[in-house]
Amino acid sequence: MFSTIDINKSTSDSTKTPVTSFDDGISPFQITTPIYYVNDKPHIGHAYTSLACDVIARFMRLSGREVFFMSGTDEHGQKVEESAKKRKMNPQDFVDEVSQSFRHLLTAMNISNDYFIRTTDDHHKKAVQHLWNTMVDNGYIYLGSYEGWYSVRDECYYLESELVDGKAPTGSEVIWQEKEPSYFFKLSAFEEKLMQYYDENPDFIAPDTRRNEVIGFVRQGLRDLSISRTSFSWGVPVPNDKDHVMYVWIDALANYISAIGYPDNMEAFEKLWPANLHIVGKDILRFHAVYWPAFLMAAGLPLPKRLFAHGWWTKDGEKISKSVGNVIDPLELTKTYGLDQTRFFLMSEVNFGNDGDFSHEKMITKVNNNLANELGNLCQRTLSLAYNNCGKSIPASIQALTEEDELLLSKARNLRSVCAEAIANQEIHKYVEALVTMIWDSNKYIDDQAPWFLRKTDIDRMATVLYVLMEVLRISSILYQPLIPESANKILDQLTVPENERSFEYIKSSPLAFGTRLQKPQIVFSRFEAENKQKKKSKKKKAKSTKQAAPIKSDVSSLDIRVGIIVKAWEHEEADKLFCEEIDIGEETGPRQIVSGLRSYYDLKDLVGQRVLVLANLKARKLMGFPSHGMVLCASNGEKTEFVEPPKDAAIGERVFVEGFDGEPATENQLARKKLLDIVFPELKTNVDGIATYKGSPLFTSAGSCRAQRGLANADVS
């Protein structure tokens, strides 16, 4: 664990974020992506690094820190020159085109960078030449000649001993570079200095596995580094030697200082340098953790405070490559799943720093569960209940808070501290976990408090519960802004939080104003039903064969009756008697869509939050054009119709049973083919106490028997 001071002190008036050994918590904060190489179009790795930086930068800004977040493109080198030739373009036109695709990626991913640097910018080239001359003046550059194994992709020479199966350690192809004149940087002179720096600054490189990797590399001994080329011409010219262009990594790494004023505006430079945080992929760790610090030492400049190297992404367990055809286009992800959904998945799927594996199934599951089912559903339920039962407003007043209310609010008010510590140490996954857990706790609270029942029995308590939930949603959404900015602000809009009260300083000081008018609640997150059709077919076939293995009884056990809760409801557009509902019955695929003929008996505002029994193995069909998959069980005597309700403590999704009638439910096809409903339904009735029965025996859940909502006696159940 990195050395953070006490959280209560670190978020006090004297600091804006937790103090660490590499950040004072209050000074201007410079964060950088690596600049991206323009020999090809952007991919998921570029999006991932940029997004991680964006989340941290947004969090720091909302904490009150002055932030300078920079990104850009690395546009020189042999790879670029070769790529331009293949396209029959001159290099400058080529990099102009490809650099724009990286700008577009940042815009499309809603990345909030303050500056975009290009290494073909004139001021950058001048800065690199100044850095070169400074290292020459300090005695760290000399002219020699070089030959060896060279990776064009990595723009790097490798020792024979470093090759793995004839390739570079990164997996790239290498070629033998014949002897050519080259300027060298005296990297060997910095071996002890670097080791001393790593020892004195244990948090300089993270995570620990990367730090150990770098230390192991330096301990093997450093040899002087070839830093110029004569075999191609697309690069920054070496001062006073027109035959040489600079090694691309001197050019590229210098962007971190040229972008903030070096060497012409040293006042601006010294305000932001040394950078608080470089975030890079692990494939370029050596260049940032060994070469870059050595260049800075040679120029007499301070070293960056922190370097964090994250892992790589695979797809469905395989390495991503063009030849395999499994390259992931981040822009396609945003088109398919949505921008914030993509941002959420990439930041939550793996521990930041580790490798991650992408699959569409994982993405759908995570987005559906954490965003649609949990955050989105909580928001929809809470705001709909308030809109329909509190005069379309935030409750005008509340009762004294209970222990349960205080506990949930206290956790929400302390959430910023938990999130801030995670962000301060680049533990983005822990930041996401804290937010997700807060929403889990809030969903448990709403289920326990059941404001849809309080509406009928204690309207003041209902108002208090809804206000507590809305206040927790306000705080959570403010903290969700760095991760899912558009969606978080949609929720804050619906909660009527003023735009100038969405930074972290308002979390404790500006609760929701009583009686404020609400807009009509809107869905924030949609669910995805994109399961592979072949897999779906296979699952159905397997399920069918399993069901047929045991004989189906012609009694109530053939019905798959589940405890559910209505999470959304609206009036059918073409049928006066029908409601359309989304009902959660505990399925991983999310709520079922079901049509019910209840408009003559219930108001729309009564439906959301209502617990019901759902016949779940009824075949899906369209009713007046709307796909309905299941049936809500009601008690009816011809004049009155009421929901049959499970007990309050029954678990969503649990199966209802009748003692003495055990067996597996029929498949949807069996239920229809054998006309089992015609056999079973006539035996389903309420008794004199309104309890639903089959042949006189009650319908039970683990929490007790099921009963008509208002106790309708001697009625048919169907």
Side-chain angles (χ1 to χ4, degrees):
M1 183 64 187
F2 305 118
S3 51
T4 55
I5 67 167
D6 181 78
I7 281 296
N8 292 322
K9 293 180 182 177
S10 67
T11 53
S12 69
D13 292 338
S14 62
T15 61
K16 300 176 186 296
T17 56
V19 174
T20 66
S21 63
F22 45 86
D23 182 26
D24 65 8
I26 195 167
S27 298
F29 188 89
Q30 186 194 0
I31 182 170
T32 72
T33 72
I35 54 173
Y36 301 124
Y37 207 47
V38 295
N39 67 310
D40 207 346
K41 66 179 184 178
H43 55 67
I44 192 171
H46 302 121
Y48 185 60
T49 313
S50 299
L51 181 51
C53 290
D54 185 59
V55 169
I56 295 170
R58 287 176 181 270
F59 194 96
M60 293 295 179
R61 290 193 197 101
L62 288 167
S63 299
R65 299 282 294 272
E66 182 181 347
V67 172
F68 187 79
F69 168 24
M70 54 178 287
S71 187
T73 44
D74 177 8
E75 302 180 14
H76 290 128
Q78 188 173 356
K79 279 188 295 184
V80 172
E81 190 173 76
E82 291 178 355
S83 296
K85 284 179 180 176
K86 288 178 183 176
R87 293 273 304 276
K88 297 181 179 178
M89 299 173 70
N90 72 62
Q92 188 61 58
D93 290 342
F94 174 78
V95 298
D96 286 346
E97 178 184 305
V98 183
S99 178
Q100 186 57 41
S101 69
F102 283 88
R103 283 182 185 268
H104 177 62
L105 171 70
L106 298 180
T107 301
M109 296 295 294
N110 198 6
I111 305 299
S112 63
N113 57 298
D114 300 290
Y115 189 71
F116 188 93
I117 189 168
R118 299 179 59 186
T119 57
T120 52
D121 292 339
D122 287 340
H123 79 274
H124 171 77
K125 289 186 278 190
K126 290 176 183 177
V128 177
Q129 290 177 325
H130 181 88
L131 178 66
W132 179 284
N133 285 332
T134 302
M135 293 192 291
V136 169
D137 292 343
N138 291 342
Y140 291 109
I141 293 179
Y142 63 91
L143 181 63
S145 61
Y146 197 83
E147 65 180 2
W149 293 106
Y150 183 68
S151 164
V152 175
R153 192 185 80 180
D154 299 344
E155 301 279 7
C156 182
Y157 280 102
Y158 290 102
L159 293 171
E160 183 89 37
S161 60
E162 292 181 280
L163 302 185
V164 179
D165 297 327
K167 293 184 178 181
T170 60
S172 65
E173 299 291 337
V174 293
I175 58 173
W176 180 258
Q177 186 73 48
E178 297 295 341
K179 185 174 287 189
E180 66 172 340
S182 174
Y183 284 93
F184 284 80
F185 172 72
K186 292 182 180 179
L187 185 61
S188 58
F190 293 92
E191 187 175 323
E192 290 185 11
K193 293 177 183 178
L194 287 169
M195 290 300 295
Q196 181 180 351
Y197 190 83
Y198 302 150
D199 185 55
E200 293 174 354
N201 299 273
D203 294 337
F204 172 57
I205 303 170
D208 286 341
T209 52
R210 307 294 170 227
R211 179 175 183 273
N212 295 336
E213 180 184 327
V214 170
I215 290 173
F217 173 76
V218 175
R219 276 184 180 153
Q220 293 175 12
L222 297 177
R223 57 180 181 141
D224 291 352
L225 183 67
S226 170
I227 56 169
S228 74
R229 302 287 183 267
T230 58
S231 54
F232 60 92
S233 61
W234 183 242
V236 177
V238 168
N240 305 313
D241 194 334
K242 59 181 177 59
D243 293 330
H244 290 254
V245 295
M246 290 186 199
Y247 171 58
V248 71
W249 279 103
I250 284 188
D251 175 10
L253 291 164
N255 90 91
Y256 300 128
I257 56 177
S258 69
I260 55 175
Y262 177 87
D264 296 330
N265 187 347
M266 292 304 287
E267 183 179 351
F269 172 70
E270 289 169 1
K271 178 182 178 181
L272 290 168
W273 192 261
N276 297 76
L277 181 62
H278 290 326
I279 289 186
V280 301
K282 67 180 183 180
D283 54 325
I284 53 174
L285 174 63
R286 179 192 302 182
F287 307 101
H288 284 80
V290 180
Y291 301 166
W292 180 225
F295 295 159
L296 291 168
M297 287 178 178
L301 295 172
L303 273 60
K305 297 175 183 177
R306 174 82 151 173
L307 170 65
F308 193 102
H310 63 72
W312 290 335
W313 281 88
T314 55
K315 186 174 187 295
D316 299 317
E318 291 187 342
K319 185 177 179 180
I320 294 174
S321 75
K322 287 185 187 177
S323 59
V324 175
N326 62 351
V327 173
I328 303 169
D329 182 346
L331 299 182
E332 286 301 316
L333 292 183
T334 64
K335 289 176 185 176
T336 302
Y337 300 109
L339 172 57
D340 281 350
Q341 289 86 340
T342 301
R343 289 173 62 104
F344 179 85
F345 176 81
L346 292 178
M347 289 293 96
S348 63
E349 177 61 13
V350 295
N351 290 359
F352 191 60
N354 293 353
D355 291 341
D357 184 63
F358 178 88
S359 76
H360 290 283
E361 290 76 14
K362 288 178 184 176
M363 186 160 187
I364 290 169
T365 298
K366 186 170 284 289
V367 166
N368 281 350
N369 288 349
N370 293 152
L371 295 184
N373 293 355
E374 293 163 9
L375 177 57
N377 188 27
L378 176 68
C379 184
Q380 182 73 13
R381 285 200 285 175
T382 301
L383 290 173
S384 294
L385 283 165
Y387 186 83
N388 292 327
N389 297 285
C390 300
K392 300 182 179 180
S393 303
I394 294 171
S397 62
I398 59 173
Q399 297 175 329
L401 299 179
T402 66
E403 183 179 348
E404 292 81 5
D405 303 337
E406 295 281 13
L407 186 64
L408 190 69
L409 283 170
S410 176
K411 182 167 184 179
R413 288 165 183 158
N414 289 325
L415 186 59
R416 179 198 168 185
S417 294
V418 177
C419 293
E421 184 176 14
I423 289 294
N425 289 304
Q426 298 84 58
E427 295 174 321
I428 299 176
H429 54 287
K430 289 188 178 180
Y431 163 54
V432 182
E433 286 169 8
L435 294 170
V436 168
T437 301
M438 186 75 250
I439 300 304
W440 283 346
D441 291 344
S442 302
N443 274 301
K444 184 177 185 306
Y445 171 86
I446 194 174
D447 287 341
D448 290 344
Q449 300 299 319
W452 42 87
F453 289 125
L454 293 170
R455 175 177 55 81
K456 307 167 192 174
T457 59
D458 190 343
I459 196 76
D460 292 333
R461 176 60 190 158
M462 177 208 70
T464 302
V465 168
L466 293 178
Y467 184 84
V468 168
L469 285 164
M470 293 168 80
E471 182 63 8
V472 171
L473 277 169
R474 179 187 72 88
I475 294 170
S476 300
S477 298
I478 287 174
L479 286 162
Y480 254 121
Q481 287 176 99
L483 187 66
I484 47 172
E486 289 186 355
S487 302
N489 279 285
K490 283 180 183 177
I491 296 173
L492 291 169
D493 288 344
Q494 294 192 56
L495 289 166
T496 71
V497 177
E499 289 187 13
N500 63 346
E501 294 183 5
R502 298 183 183 185
S503 60
F504 297 162
E505 65 178 303
Y506 293 99
I507 284 177
K508 293 184 179 180
S509 65
S510 298
L512 293 169
F514 294 120
T516 304
R517 192 79 171 173
L518 292 170
Q519 58 178 276
K520 189 173 182 179
Q522 302 292 322
I523 294 174
V524 180
F525 301 104
S526 299
R527 286 184 50 80
F528 295 94
E529 308 295 344
E531 186 178 0
N532 181 279
K533 289 182 180 179
Q534 194 57 43
K535 286 184 180 178
K536 215 171 192 180
K537 216 180 267 186
S538 173
K539 284 181 182 177
K540 282 186 177 180
K541 190 173 181 181
K542 186 177 179 182
K544 184 177 179 180
S545 64
T546 302
K547 301 292 182 186
Q548 289 178 339
I552 298 300
K553 299 177 181 178
S554 299
D555 59 38
V556 72
S557 68
S558 66
L559 306 188
D560 189 9
I561 302 173
R562 300 280 172 173
V563 174
I565 184 169
I566 300 174
V567 295
K568 182 183 174 185
W570 62 99
E571 294 172 347
H572 196 295
E573 293 181 358
E574 300 178 6
D576 294 340
K577 295 183 180 181
L578 299 181
F579 283 128
C580 302
E581 302 134 2
E582 287 188 3
I583 304 179
D584 183 1
I585 59 171
E587 293 178 313
E588 288 186 4
T589 52
R592 293 273 190 104
Q593 287 192 333
I594 295 176
V595 170
S596 302
L598 298 172
R599 281 173 69 174
S600 301
Y601 307 100
Y602 285 94
D603 292 332
L604 182 62
K605 65 182 177 64
D606 296 325
L607 297 189
V608 175
Q610 173 67 48
R611 284 177 173 253
V612 293
L613 299 186
V614 173
L615 178 59
N617 57 340
L618 195 64
K619 224 173 182 183
R621 60 189 180 124
K622 284 192 175 182
L623 294 175
M624 297 295 291
F626 186 84
S628 180
H629 192 190
M631 175 190 292
V632 176
L633 296 185
C634 292
S636 180
N637 63 4
E639 296 180 2
K640 298 179 180 179
T641 295
E642 301 175 5
F643 289 116
V644 176
E645 295 180 324
K648 176 183 175 183
D649 295 330
I652 299 299
E654 74 167 286
R655 189 182 175 201
V656 174
F657 66 93
V658 177
E659 287 188 4
F661 295 92
D662 301 321
E664 288 297 314
T667 65
E668 294 178 356
N669 285 333
Q670 288 171 332
L671 196 68
R673 189 170 63 248
K674 295 189 176 184
K675 299 183 179 180
L676 292 171
L677 295 185
D678 294 339
I679 299 170
V680 178
F681 270 3
E683 303 292 344
L684 286 171
K685 298 181 182 296
T686 59
N687 63 16
V688 292
D689 297 316
I691 294 173
T693 68
Y694 174 74
K695 293 185 176 181
S697 297
L699 273 62
F700 272 106
T701 70
S702 60
S705 59
C706 304
R707 187 173 182 273
Q709 187 178 40
R710 302 180 185 92
L712 186 63
N714 302 316
D716 295 327
V717 174
S718 62

